[in-house]
Amino acid sequence: MWLAEVKAKAGRRNQILFGSESLLLVELGELIAGANRRALILWALELAEETVRELESRYPGYHRPRAAVEAARAWAAWEIKMPLAKRAILDCHAMSKELAAPADIARCHAVGQACSVVHTEGHAMGYPIYELTAIVLELGLENCLEAVEARVRDYEQRLRLWTEREQTDCRDWADFLR
């Protein structure tokens, strides 16, 4: 079971408690592998936006996660070039060094990973890995089971929806995403 994997990683004091090979994430991994890049971007940025709102409520003076999401959206629409978006994403990751709460540190990395999906689909699993880690860190190993499993089902359902919606989405995309 996935919880045993997480407990083992926590016991080794790993900062990241899930991996792309986690039993819990097999179906999500298959959905990610079958989704097109634009659907993955829309999915990842929607998830990142939620986390940004959560971080903003805790750290009202910190704007780097929001800036990273906005830059990733602009990059995907070819309104800015990659170096500007990359800088905003790296700044979001760097914010984690200023935080004390391990769950919020993981959330900063989750946002950065989600924004990086514009660059390559290989980052798509990064958001769940970091956000699920945040959930476990916040709720504790003994109380996280339901929340983690519900969140994975939510990821899967949303990705299925974005896979359908993307086909009729009329937004402007950068040439490299067409």
Side-chain angles (χ1 to χ4, degrees), residues 42-70 73 92 95 104 107-108 110-112 114-115 127 131 138 151 154 158 162:
L42 293 167
W43 170 77
L45 293 179
E46 178 185 51
L47 294 169
E49 181 68 37
E50 288 179 4
T51 302
V52 165
R53 287 192 299 271
E54 192 172 347
L55 288 168
E56 285 174 337
S57 72
R58 291 187 181 130
Y59 308 95
Y62 289 74
H63 304 291
R64 286 172 280 178
R66 166 83 47 214
V69 171
E70 289 173 1
R73 284 188 203 287
C92 179
M95 180 179 142
D104 291 337
R107 286 184 181 95
C108 282
V111 170
C115 293
Y127 181 90
E131 192 201 31
E138 202 159 68
R151 189 60 170 158
D154 182 51
R158 287 185 195 210
W162 277 117

Side-chain angles (χ1 to χ4, degrees), residues 1-8 17-18 22-25 132 136 141 144-149:
M1 168 170 210
W2 67 265
L3 192 54
E5 294 173 352
V6 171
K7 285 181 179 181
L17 302 177
F18 293 85
S22 174
L23 297 173
L24 178 68
L25 300 175
L132 294 173
V136 172
L141 287 166
C144 70
L145 187 87
E146 279 185 40
V148 167
E149 289 180 351

